[in-house]
Amino acid sequence: MNKPWTRIFFLLPAIAFFLLLSLTPASAEPVALPTISMGLEGSNNPQDVSVSLQVLFLLTILSLAPAILILTTSFTRIVVVLSFMRSALSTQQMPPNQLLVGLALFLTFFIMMPTWSQVNQDALQPYLNGKITQEEAFRKAQEPIRVFMFKQTREKDLALFVKLAQIERPKTYRDIPTYVLIPAFAISELKTAFQIGFMIFIPFIVIDMIVASALMSMGMMMLPPMMISLPFKLLLFVMVDGWHLIVRSLVMSFQ
């Protein structure tokens, strides 16, 4: 998508480079780096206190950004399924954790892009242009994300947390608070990921059983069956184009 903010993001390194060249003297003298100082000072202006509280709130939100990304997007299901796939293949640390997390992160960006584009269009851009207030932008930004989570959350899990929260029985989805929706969405994602992981394990368990039975029938008790079954698992995974099937199943499960 050729969104304006996307183009700006990719142009930032070039802009910074040209600014650095324009600010550097012709004599190639060392460039003075700016310093940042932070401190606490008293203030009698209530507006200054309000701005300080807003900055503190923003920093708190940024520190919680990883948890928000994990628990309100498709990341949980994807990373759990990929971990199950590696365990089923018995390849130990191959692919490594960094690769699995990176793949899960970019698949999350791919799946969540329509939702985030709607947030950018309905909330972020109007707020940056001064058309709506901060509270209204926050409310509009929640709506697309809540719609996405409601589509993937089971009613049984929603009913559980509504009961645990001891709130009045909601009549519509709008009556369900976000703090109730997020944990319900998280356990629904875990259940779905475990169901997909179970289906992934079945063919590889069959290979393990066949190899173990063959080794026992030949009296090769000291030879680890895992060592013999691993090449057959990798061969099966490559022949059926396992990465294509798993990624396709993951993406289709959110539609």
Side-chain angles (χ1 to χ4, degrees):
M1 296 183 180
N2 293 326
K3 298 292 184 181
W5 59 270
T6 306
R7 294 195 297 266
I8 293 175
F9 176 80
F10 286 107
L11 288 175
L12 281 179
I15 294 173
F17 177 74
F18 286 113
L19 285 177
L20 182 62
L21 290 181
S22 63
L23 293 176
T24 304
S27 59
E29 296 179 357
V31 179
L33 298 177
T35 59
I36 300 176
S37 60
M38 299 182 64
L40 297 176
E41 298 180 358
S43 176
N44 296 324
N45 189 357
Q47 186 176 1
D48 294 339
V49 178
S50 177
V51 173
S52 301
L53 292 177
Q54 292 179 5
V55 172
L56 180 61
F57 177 74
L58 178 61
L59 293 177
T60 304
I61 293 297
L62 291 177
S63 65
L64 296 176
I68 296 174
L69 175 65
I70 291 174
L71 295 180
T72 61
T73 64
S74 58
F75 182 84
T76 300
R77 183 188 305 184
I78 295 173
V79 75
V80 171
V81 169
L82 293 179
S83 299
F84 274 129
M85 179 211 66
R86 185 175 64 182
S87 300
L89 286 172
S90 303
T91 53
Q92 302 300 326
Q93 295 299 321
M94 287 295 155
N97 292 329
Q98 294 86 346
L99 181 58
L100 289 184
V101 173
L103 177 60
L105 191 61
F106 279 96
L107 285 177
T108 301
F109 291 159
F110 177 80
I111 294 171
M112 298 298 299
M113 186 54 66
T115 302
W116 290 343
S117 298
Q118 187 175 355
V119 171
N120 178 67
Q121 180 180 354
D122 298 341
L124 181 59
Q125 293 302 324
Y127 174 70
L128 294 178
N129 295 330
K131 297 180 179 179
I132 59 177
T133 62
Q134 184 176 4
E135 292 78 10
E136 189 176 358
F138 181 73
R139 179 180 57 81
K140 289 187 175 182
Q142 287 188 63
E143 291 302 322
I145 300 176
R146 283 170 56 89
V147 170
F148 170 81
M149 290 193 290
F150 275 124
K151 289 182 179 179
Q152 310 301 327
T153 306
R154 295 175 174 84
E155 293 185 0
K156 181 179 179 181
D157 297 328
L158 278 174
L160 170 64
F161 282 96
V162 168
K163 182 179 180 180
L164 293 177
Q166 298 180 355
I167 61 177
E168 185 179 354
R169 184 176 180 178
K171 297 179 180 179
T172 62
Y173 285 148
R174 292 182 177 272
D175 298 332
I176 300 178
T178 304
Y179 73 89
V180 173
L181 173 60
I182 292 178
F185 170 76
I187 64 174
S188 293
E189 287 293 282
L190 288 174
K191 182 177 181 179
T192 304
F194 274 64
Q195 290 174 342
I196 299 175
F198 173 77
M199 300 302 297
I200 293 175
F201 262 94
I202 291 178
F204 299 115
I205 290 178
V206 172
I207 294 178
D208 286 334
M209 294 176 63
I210 294 174
V211 171
S213 299
L215 292 178
M216 290 183 63
S217 63
M218 291 185 297
M220 304 176 67
M221 305 291 295
M222 302 302 295
L223 184 63
M226 193 75 67
M227 183 180 301
I228 305 300
S229 63
L230 179 58
F232 292 100
K233 291 181 179 180
L234 294 177
L235 179 62
L236 174 64
F237 191 77
V238 173
M239 289 181 61
V240 301
D241 199 358
W243 287 110
H244 175 86
L245 291 177
I246 290 178
V247 171
R248 179 178 181 274
S249 300
L250 283 171
V251 175
M252 294 296 294
S253 66
F254 288 98
Q255 298 179 357

